[in-house]
Amino acid sequence: MELYKVELCRGSRGCPRAVGDTNELEGKIINVFEKTGFVEKRQKQLGANFKQHNVFKVGLAGCANCCSQPQIKDFALIAKALPIFNNDLCNLCGVCVEACKEKALKIEGGNLAINEDKCLGCGDCKRTCPVAAVKGEDVKWRLMVGGKLGRHPQLAQELKDVYDREGLLYLEKAIAMILRASDPHKRFAQLLEEENISFS
Ligand code: SF4
Ligand code: SF4
Ligand code: SF4
């Protein structure tokens, strides 16, 4: 019986736009499901009344393009690589400013400035800089919860940026919420809304 499903984009399998390792994260996520005994406990909780909407859906995307549709998953992580610029190498040519679709970069007062709230960590600035002035990246994952299709579809709510380990702890928290739910048939989105349980 399939009681959870992890769907990932082809990011780590050769997509040049990938900024996070979705394959590695998938392995860690499966470990969390196994460690928590999710399938066995869920089978007991649901009995013979298993329905398709009881499958807990996890989405992983290797970049902000979100090809694996994380917005409609119960729990999702989207890779985000915040660029770290080397001011000694940067000649303020403005190529990255033009390349940034989020308008997160600007040159002001003789410096390149980034608006971290706008940045989706897509890596376009790094790819286009002619002098390799992006010296590193802070790779995190955008945590999204509560997306679903069905009779009352809704997009997942974006909570915060997390590192791998933190994301896995949130997954454990989500699993615990599902396993102790008074009604085992409620979607995760319903649990978040109706039971007024804090998730962030
Ligand atoms: S989400 Fe990004 S990394 Fe994944 S397949 Fe799409 S473009 Fe590539
Ligand atoms: S493209 Fe590179 S050199 Fe040009 S402004 Fe951006 S970081 Fe600086
Ligand atoms: S990573 Fe993407 S969104 Fe962020 S500053 Fe660079 S081009 Fe803009």
Side-chain angles (χ1 to χ4, degrees):
M1 192 194 295
E2 181 191 52
L3 283 168
Y4 75 88
K5 190 174 179 182
V6 185
E7 197 174 318
L8 56 161
C9 69
R10 69 177 189 94
S12 304
R13 298 190 301 274
C15 176
R17 299 198 63 86
V19 296
D21 191 339
T22 44
N23 276 3
E24 185 184 274
L25 191 54
E26 181 195 28
K28 291 177 179 174
I29 280 173
I30 290 170
N31 281 344
V32 171
F33 279 109
E34 288 175 356
K35 185 179 85 176
T36 55
F38 179 78
V39 172
E40 298 74 21
K41 290 176 184 168
R42 196 79 172 114
Q43 277 172 343
K44 264 192 211 157
Q45 194 188 26
L46 290 164
N49 293 324
F50 167 65
K51 298 197 172 54
Q52 186 55 36
H53 76 260
N54 294 132
V55 177
F56 183 67
K57 296 174 189 73
V58 176
L60 301 179
C63 83
N65 283 0
C66 296
C67 298
S68 49
Q69 301 181 323
Q71 299 93 338
I72 54 169
K73 302 294 191 289
D74 296 293
F75 184 100
L77 292 161
I78 304 161
K80 171 180 181 178
L82 193 73
I84 301 165
F85 294 96
N86 182 337
N87 293 331
D88 294 334
L89 283 180
C90 175
N91 58 21
L92 302 177
C93 69
V95 169
C96 61
V97 176
E98 288 297 314
C100 179
K101 296 180 185 76
E102 310 309 321
K103 301 197 183 314
L105 296 172
K106 63 179 171 182
I107 293 171
E108 60 181 4
N111 287 306
L112 178 64
I114 180 167
N115 181 334
E116 293 189 2
D117 292 335
K118 286 186 177 176
C119 174
L120 289 179
C122 66
D124 280 343
C125 48
K126 183 180 180 186
R127 278 185 286 275
T128 53
C129 177
V131 296
V134 178
K135 66 179 177 185
E137 292 164 312
D138 184 19
V139 179
K140 289 188 176 179
W141 299 83
R142 291 161 55 204
L143 171 63
M144 302 184 78
V145 292
K148 66 189 184 82
L149 290 178
R151 188 178 283 237
H152 302 289
Q154 71 178 39
L155 294 180
Q157 181 193 353
E158 185 159 347
L159 292 187
K160 63 200 292 194
D161 295 344
V162 293
Y163 289 111
D164 284 28
R165 211 179 108 65
E166 205 184 348
L168 297 174
L169 291 176
Y170 274 107
L171 178 60
E172 283 188 35
K173 199 170 172 180
I175 287 172
M177 279 173 66
I178 292 164
L179 294 178
R180 68 167 182 259
S182 52
D183 177 352
H185 293 285
K186 275 186 183 167
R187 294 290 301 261
F188 187 52
Q190 279 177 287
L191 289 182
L192 290 167
E193 278 169 24
E194 296 172 11
E195 301 202 2
N196 199 23
I197 301 168
S198 165
F199 189 70
S200 55

